[in-house]
Every structure is written in structure tokens, then in C-alpha cells.
Amino acid sequence: MPGTLAPAAPAAAAARDAHNRTLNAAGESFWGLLNGLIASSTVLVVLLRQYGASTMMIGAITAIEIASTLAPQILGSALFASRARRQRRLIVWHLAAILPFLLVIAAIALMGPRWPPAAVRWGVLAAYACFMFGIGVVLAVWFDWLSGVFPQATRGRAFGLGFGASAVLNFAGGLVAGRLLAAADRIPSFSILYTVAAF
């Protein structure tokens, strides 16, 4: 009878919502760890400075970040306009057009001592710009998709838990980055940080 199934439906929906909140928090925490390991305000700046970056080049980091989170969203809205299999296409985009640029930076950092300093700093900055552009393309679309995963009543809680978990792991990643940079004279710290961040 319909009456006997009704109580189970809200319980199943609540369990699914809690499961999704947990997965979202886990995913955001890994993204926070990534940001902590390669923070543009510290790790990227130290890497560029090591190869002779000027003050203007360091200032360009912020300009790249601002431009990359605004203009590319127009492209993303067109590329991901269809909602058919949007989640899968967003994940493929992350794997194909965002994370590989971290591995590019890791490779440049590893080979940096054998390259001209100008090639290293411009190669790193260009790869970082591509990384940020890739994020900018899917930024609005990702949150549009994610908002549809959670009901309105729990959406704020889900996002808050995700951002909180991201902040905690960001902090932890920053501590790890500091330790590795302190040992940069003995190990390829920058290459390790960007490789771990990518994975």
C-alpha cells in the first residue's frame, strides 16, 4: 500500500543527502589540500623568485587569477550548456584540462636547474595561467551542477561543510609545503609538491 512506503522515502532521501554531503566534503578537502600544497601566494612565488622573476611577474599572478575566474565562465556556459551527462563531462574536463598543467609545472621545476632561468619562470607562469583558465571555464557550471545535488533545505550546510573541510586541509597542505620547501636544497621540493597536488 502507498501508505506503508511513504515513511521510507524521506528516510532514504535523508540518507542519500547525508551521503552526498560526505562525498562533497571529501572532494572539497582534497581540493583544499591541493591549494595548500601549491599556494600561489607562497609556493608559486618562491619558485618564480628562485628563477629571477621580477616584481611585475609576481604581480601578474593575481591578475591571472582574477581574469581566469571571470572571462572563461562565458566559454564554460557554452561548452556545458547541455545537462546531459554534465557531471561526467565536468570530471573529464578536470582530468584533461586542469590537473595536467600541475604536472607540467612539476616537470619544469624538476628540469629547472638545467634550463635557462627565463624559460623556467615563463614556462611555470604560462602553465599556471592555463591551470587557472581551466578552472575558470568550469567554475560557474560546477556550482550550478552541485547546487542541484542538494535540496534547498540542506544546500547551505553541505557547502559549508565542504568549504570547512577544504580550509582544514588547505592549512595542512601549507604546513607540508613549508616543510618541503625548507628541504629544497636536498630534494626537488617544487616538483614533489606539484606532483602530489595533481594526484
Side-chain angles (χ1 to χ4, degrees), residues 23-174:
L23 290 179
N24 181 59
E28 290 293 344
S29 68
F30 280 115
W31 196 258
L33 178 63
L34 178 158
N35 284 323
L37 291 172
I38 59 166
S40 61
S41 59
T42 53
V43 177
L44 181 61
V45 169
V46 174
L47 174 56
L48 292 175
R49 283 291 196 192
Q50 183 172 305
Y51 288 94
S54 65
T55 302
M56 184 175 292
M57 178 175 275
I58 298 303
I61 295 172
T62 301
I64 288 170
E65 291 174 343
I66 293 172
S68 296
T69 54
L70 295 176
Q73 292 188 36
I74 300 171
L75 176 60
S77 297
L79 283 175
F80 299 96
S82 171
R83 293 184 177 274
R85 302 175 67 179
R86 181 185 272 185
Q87 178 187 13
R88 179 172 295 182
R89 289 185 292 123
L90 286 170
I91 292 172
V92 169
W93 179 268
H94 277 75
L95 295 175
I98 297 177
L99 297 178
F101 290 108
L102 297 181
L103 295 175
V104 170
I105 296 175
I108 293 173
L110 185 63
M111 297 182 289
R114 299 188 293 274
W115 285 16
V120 175
R121 60 180 181 261
W122 283 108
V124 166
L125 191 64
Y128 181 71
C130 292
F131 170 72
M132 289 304 301
F133 184 87
I135 292 173
V137 168
V138 294
L139 189 62
V141 183
W142 177 264
F143 281 105
D144 179 57
W145 168 76
L146 195 59
S147 66
V149 172
F150 302 102
Q152 186 175 357
T154 61
R155 192 175 299 150
R157 190 185 319 154
F159 281 21
L161 287 172
F163 294 146
S166 178
V168 170
L169 268 290
N170 191 308
F171 175 76

Side-chain angles (χ1 to χ4, degrees), residues 1-9:
M1 294 174 58
T4 60
L5 297 178

